[in-house]
Amino acid sequence: MPKMELIGLSKEELSEAIIAIGEKPFRAKQLWQWLYYFGETDFNKMSNLSKDLRAKLADNFTIFRPKIITEQLSVDKTRKWLLEMSDGQRVEMVYIPEEDRGAVCISTQVGCAVGCRFCHTGSQKLTRNLTACEIVSQFMVARDTYGEWPSPTNETRYLSNIVVMGMGEPLHNKDNTIKALNILTDGDGIAISRRRVTMSTSGIAPHIVEALDATGVRLAVSLHAPNNQLRSQIMPINNRYPLEEVLSACRAYQEKDGSRYITFEYLMLDGVNDSLACAHELIALMKKYQLRASFNLIPFNPWPGCIFKPSSNNRVNMFARELENAGFAAPVRVARGQDILAACGQLKSKKDAEDKSAK
């Protein structure tokens, strides 16, 4: 029988696995802490477990980490990993540092089926969903890299936030994403605050409320256009879930809890969606659906083969001022990691290109 993988199991599933090998359920709590609080990958180092139990665990279970294929460090200290899963499929993950903290951008799929025309990942067709194990273990690789597992000499926490906006559409992999986020935010383990986790979606309207209710994390919506005609041109998913459905779901999400705030991501594309008329339409949409929201204005990050160009600084700043004058926060995101193609919309695993070059 193949060994069972422990990473990605819920607390209940881990308890069932421990009982199945003849151990008491309380051992699952000890093991959970070793896996997710201390980040241990070697059963022999789990010092509060008996030698016999450690041997039994090693005989029955494994502890997964993706293989690091490449690791790049930008001039601005952004770090990007190309990670390989057990079946050889690869995804990218990025760490974006700030002065005293930073966010790890994790992926939920190999490729993406949404097909946004401005996104590099969208040019790589969907291969498969990632498992809960593969989603959780990405963040664990980042902690391994930065040495941020607790120890008597280390309580540093630069990896303070998680953003689920790497490769893939999280709500096309809803169940595994929900399961993974609940593991990452569990207070007995990795314990990232739910308020420091943001899930970004292109607008899979039927699943928005369900996923956010199940995880308690924050919501970001990739909007990128103020009307259906324009949004469908750059985001084909809008033909299935038009703005009316997406914004109605956002409204339903906020009505459940007055403290919930939504970030709308808006990529600034030269001559496409950056006019003052577009800004006025956005303002009207927010008022129509009575949404408490802020806008994250994103300078477009070019990638090879893309037809779009970034808006000028003047256009971006005029757009931001128009939103701010209407009472909406509209910070302009500072592009990070462009020199290593780690910026927003630039992620794409390199397996296909590398395989072709190796032939």
Side-chain angles (χ1 to χ4, degrees):
M1 291 290 292
K3 295 180 181 181
M4 177 183 286
E5 175 54 54
L6 294 179
I7 301 300
L9 296 183
S10 66
K11 280 184 168 178
E12 294 75 17
E13 290 168 336
L14 185 61
S15 182
E16 290 170 3
I18 289 299
I19 292 170
I21 63 169
E23 292 295 327
K24 300 292 185 183
F26 78 89
R27 295 296 187 190
K29 183 175 182 179
Q30 292 176 301
L31 187 53
W32 182 274
Q33 289 183 321
W34 280 112
L35 295 174
Y36 296 119
Y37 183 77
F38 294 109
E40 187 55 67
T41 59
D42 185 348
F43 292 112
N44 287 324
K45 294 182 180 178
M46 298 181 181
S47 54
N48 65 342
L49 305 181
S50 70
K51 187 175 181 180
D52 288 345
L53 176 54
R54 281 178 270 166
K56 188 185 289 187
L57 292 173
D59 287 342
N60 288 277
F61 304 119
T62 59
I63 303 172
F64 177 72
R65 289 289 197 279
K67 180 181 179 182
I68 299 175
I69 301 300
T70 60
E71 189 173 342
Q72 297 172 273
L73 189 64
S74 169
V75 293
D76 62 22
K77 304 303 181 183
T78 297
R79 188 181 298 267
K80 183 172 76 170
W81 297 262
L82 178 64
L83 303 176
E84 185 174 272
M85 304 304 166
S86 299
D87 64 353
Q89 295 296 333
R90 298 176 179 181
V91 298
E92 291 190 323
M93 173 181 69
V94 174
Y95 171 61
I96 306 165
E98 302 295 341
E99 185 174 346
D100 59 348
R101 58 184 178 82
V104 180
C105 183
I106 61 177
S107 297
T108 55
Q109 296 180 303
V110 182
C112 185
V114 174
C116 298
R117 293 180 62 210
F118 49 76
C119 181
H120 203 193
T121 306
S123 67
Q124 175 184 340
K125 300 302 182 184
L126 177 67
T127 301
R128 68 170 176 83
N129 287 333
L130 295 181
T131 65
C133 166
E134 292 167 333
I135 298 170
V136 170
S137 60
Q138 290 175 65
F139 185 76
M140 301 176 88
V141 167
R143 274 207 170 170
D144 292 344
T145 300
Y146 284 90
E148 287 204 1
W149 298 105
S151 72
T153 59
N154 179 33
E155 287 299 326
T156 303
R157 286 293 179 276
Y158 290 117
L159 310 182
S160 59
N161 293 56
I162 293 175
V163 285
V164 189
M165 56 180 74
M167 295 174 59
E169 164 55 62
L171 295 184
H172 278 165
N173 187 16
K174 172 175 62 71
D175 292 342
N176 285 323
T177 297
I178 289 173
K179 187 177 183 182
L181 292 181
N182 284 331
I183 292 171
L184 289 165
T185 56
D186 185 88
D188 294 327
I190 292 173
I192 298 293
S193 168
R194 295 177 191 273
R195 298 183 68 82
R196 290 184 174 271
V197 179
T198 300
M199 185 185 69
S200 175
T201 177
S202 60
I204 314 303
H207 298 324
I208 287 175
V209 175
E210 176 190 355
L212 276 294
D213 282 353
T215 60
V217 302
R218 292 180 176 272
L219 172 65
V221 176
S222 293
L223 198 63
H224 307 311
N227 59 64
N228 283 320
Q229 181 180 4
L230 180 54
R231 194 167 190 261
S232 292
Q233 289 175 14
I234 60 177
M235 298 179 69
I237 193 71
N238 193 72
N239 292 317
R240 185 167 184 183
Y241 304 113
L243 279 172
E244 292 80 7
E245 290 187 30
V246 174
L247 297 180
S248 292
C250 290
R251 178 63 184 162
Y253 162 72
Q254 285 196 329
E255 284 177 343
K256 288 197 164 196
D257 185 342
S259 69
R260 290 176 171 177
Y261 221 73
I262 299 171
T263 299
F264 287 107
E265 296 159 343
Y266 198 93
L267 190 67
M268 302 296 294
L269 301 172
D270 182 45
V272 177
N273 63 353
D274 59 351
S275 68
L276 289 182
C278 285
H280 297 155
E281 285 188 82
L282 281 179
I283 294 165
L285 276 179
M286 296 300 106
K287 292 181 178 179
K288 178 180 178 180
Y289 289 92
Q290 298 180 319
L291 295 173
R292 299 181 303 282
S294 62
F295 290 89
N296 192 355
L297 302 184
I298 308 170
F300 174 62
N301 301 301
W303 46 270
C306 187
I307 64 172
F308 296 109
K309 296 180 180 180
S311 302
S312 68
N313 288 338
N314 284 342
R315 298 274 282 190
V316 173
N317 290 332
M318 285 172 49
F319 199 94
R321 282 198 299 272
E322 202 70 19
L323 294 175
E324 289 166 354
N325 289 340
F328 298 97
V332 179
R333 183 186 296 179
V334 177
R336 305 292 296 273
Q338 287 181 303
D339 56 313
I340 57 171
L341 288 181
C344 182
Q346 291 185 314
L347 299 189
K348 182 177 180 181
S349 71
K350 301 180 179 63
K351 190 176 193 305
D352 292 342
E354 289 175 354
D355 288 348
K356 289 176 182 177
S357 65
K359 291 180 181 178

Short mmCIF file of all heavy atoms in Angstrom, two decimals, residues 28 37 47 53 78 174 198 209-210 216 225 239 289 294 319 326 353 359:
data_model
loop_
_atom_site.label_atom_id
_atom_site.label_comp_id
_atom_site.label_asym_id
_atom_site.label_seq_id
_atom_site.Cartn_x
_atom_site.Cartn_y
_atom_site.Cartn_z
N ALA A 28 -2.93 12.92 17.16
CA ALA A 28 -3.14 13.75 15.97
C ALA A 28 -2.84 15.22 16.27
O ALA A 28 -2.30 15.93 15.43
CB ALA A 28 -4.56 13.59 15.46
N TYR A 37 3.03 23.83 12.96
CA TYR A 37 3.59 24.86 13.84
C TYR A 37 5.11 24.89 13.72
O TYR A 37 5.70 25.96 13.55
CB TYR A 37 3.17 24.61 15.29
CG TYR A 37 3.66 25.69 16.24
CD1 TYR A 37 3.02 26.93 16.28
CD2 TYR A 37 4.75 25.48 17.08
CE1 TYR A 37 3.47 27.94 17.13
CE2 TYR A 37 5.21 26.47 17.93
CZ TYR A 37 4.57 27.71 17.95
OH TYR A 37 5.02 28.70 18.79
N SER A 47 10.29 14.99 18.80
CA SER A 47 10.92 14.52 20.03
C SER A 47 9.96 14.11 21.14
O SER A 47 10.34 13.34 22.03
CB SER A 47 11.88 15.59 20.56
OG SER A 47 11.21 16.83 20.71
N LEU A 53 6.43 5.02 17.95
CA LEU A 53 5.43 5.77 17.21
C LEU A 53 6.05 6.47 16.01
O LEU A 53 5.48 6.48 14.91
CB LEU A 53 4.75 6.79 18.12
CG LEU A 53 3.73 7.73 17.44
CD1 LEU A 53 2.68 6.94 16.66
CD2 LEU A 53 3.08 8.65 18.47
N THR A 78 11.90 40.94 -4.34
CA THR A 78 10.83 39.99 -4.62
C THR A 78 11.47 38.66 -4.99
O THR A 78 12.47 38.62 -5.72
CB THR A 78 9.95 40.50 -5.78
OG1 THR A 78 9.31 41.71 -5.38
CG2 THR A 78 8.90 39.47 -6.18
N LYS A 174 -12.60 25.22 -5.92
CA LYS A 174 -13.18 25.74 -4.67
C LYS A 174 -12.90 24.85 -3.46
O LYS A 174 -12.46 25.34 -2.41
CB LYS A 174 -14.69 25.93 -4.85
CG LYS A 174 -15.46 26.28 -3.59
CD LYS A 174 -16.91 26.56 -3.90
CE LYS A 174 -17.62 25.35 -4.48
NZ LYS A 174 -17.85 24.27 -3.47
N THR A 198 -6.05 37.02 1.56
CA THR A 198 -6.96 37.56 0.55
C THR A 198 -7.08 36.57 -0.59
O THR A 198 -6.08 36.10 -1.14
CB THR A 198 -6.44 38.90 0.00
OG1 THR A 198 -6.33 39.85 1.06
CG2 THR A 198 -7.38 39.44 -1.07
N VAL A 209 -19.87 33.83 -2.15
CA VAL A 209 -20.35 33.88 -0.77
C VAL A 209 -20.01 32.58 -0.04
O VAL A 209 -19.53 32.61 1.11
CB VAL A 209 -21.87 34.14 -0.72
CG1 VAL A 209 -22.37 34.05 0.71
CG2 VAL A 209 -22.19 35.51 -1.31
N GLU A 210 -20.19 31.45 -0.68
CA GLU A 210 -19.90 30.16 -0.06
C GLU A 210 -18.45 30.06 0.38
O GLU A 210 -18.15 29.68 1.52
CB GLU A 210 -20.21 29.03 -1.04
CG GLU A 210 -19.85 27.65 -0.51
CD GLU A 210 -19.95 26.57 -1.58
OE1 GLU A 210 -20.38 26.87 -2.71
OE2 GLU A 210 -19.56 25.43 -1.28
N GLY A 216 -13.59 32.76 5.92
CA GLY A 216 -13.44 34.00 6.68
C GLY A 216 -12.32 34.89 6.19
O GLY A 216 -11.94 35.85 6.88
N ALA A 225 -12.78 46.36 -15.73
CA ALA A 225 -13.60 47.09 -16.70
C ALA A 225 -14.92 47.48 -16.03
O ALA A 225 -15.39 46.77 -15.14
CB ALA A 225 -13.87 46.24 -17.95
N ASN A 239 -18.64 36.63 -20.06
CA ASN A 239 -19.79 36.15 -20.84
C ASN A 239 -20.61 35.14 -20.04
O ASN A 239 -21.82 35.00 -20.27
CB ASN A 239 -19.30 35.51 -22.14
CG ASN A 239 -18.70 36.53 -23.09
OD1 ASN A 239 -19.24 37.63 -23.26
ND2 ASN A 239 -17.56 36.20 -23.69
N TYR A 289 -24.79 49.27 -6.53
CA TYR A 289 -24.82 48.05 -5.72
C TYR A 289 -24.48 48.32 -4.26
O TYR A 289 -24.39 47.39 -3.47
CB TYR A 289 -23.87 47.00 -6.33
CG TYR A 289 -24.41 46.44 -7.62
CD1 TYR A 289 -24.06 47.01 -8.83
CD2 TYR A 289 -25.30 45.37 -7.61
CE1 TYR A 289 -24.57 46.51 -10.03
CE2 TYR A 289 -25.81 44.86 -8.80
CZ TYR A 289 -25.45 45.45 -10.01
OH TYR A 289 -25.97 44.94 -11.19
N SER A 294 -12.64 49.39 -2.07
CA SER A 294 -11.51 50.19 -2.51
C SER A 294 -11.03 49.61 -3.84
O SER A 294 -11.35 48.47 -4.19
CB SER A 294 -10.38 50.17 -1.48
OG SER A 294 -9.90 48.85 -1.30
N PHE A 319 -7.05 58.90 -13.21
CA PHE A 319 -8.07 57.89 -12.92
C PHE A 319 -8.22 57.72 -11.40
O PHE A 319 -9.32 57.68 -10.86
CB PHE A 319 -7.64 56.56 -13.56
CG PHE A 319 -8.73 55.56 -13.75
CD1 PHE A 319 -9.42 55.47 -14.95
CD2 PHE A 319 -9.07 54.67 -12.74
CE1 PHE A 319 -10.43 54.53 -15.14
CE2 PHE A 319 -10.07 53.73 -12.91
CZ PHE A 319 -10.76 53.66 -14.12
N ALA A 326 -14.57 60.68 -5.42
CA ALA A 326 -15.90 60.10 -5.20
C ALA A 326 -15.97 59.33 -3.89
O ALA A 326 -17.01 58.73 -3.56
CB ALA A 326 -16.27 59.18 -6.36
N ALA A 353 8.26 25.28 -22.15
CA ALA A 353 9.40 25.87 -22.85
C ALA A 353 10.67 25.08 -22.56
O ALA A 353 11.50 24.86 -23.46
CB ALA A 353 9.57 27.33 -22.43
N LYS A 359 14.79 19.13 -26.18
CA LYS A 359 14.68 18.11 -27.22
C LYS A 359 15.73 18.35 -28.32
O LYS A 359 16.12 19.47 -28.59
CB LYS A 359 13.27 18.14 -27.83
CG LYS A 359 12.21 17.65 -26.84
CD LYS A 359 10.84 17.70 -27.45
CE LYS A 359 9.79 17.22 -26.44
NZ LYS A 359 8.43 17.28 -26.98
#
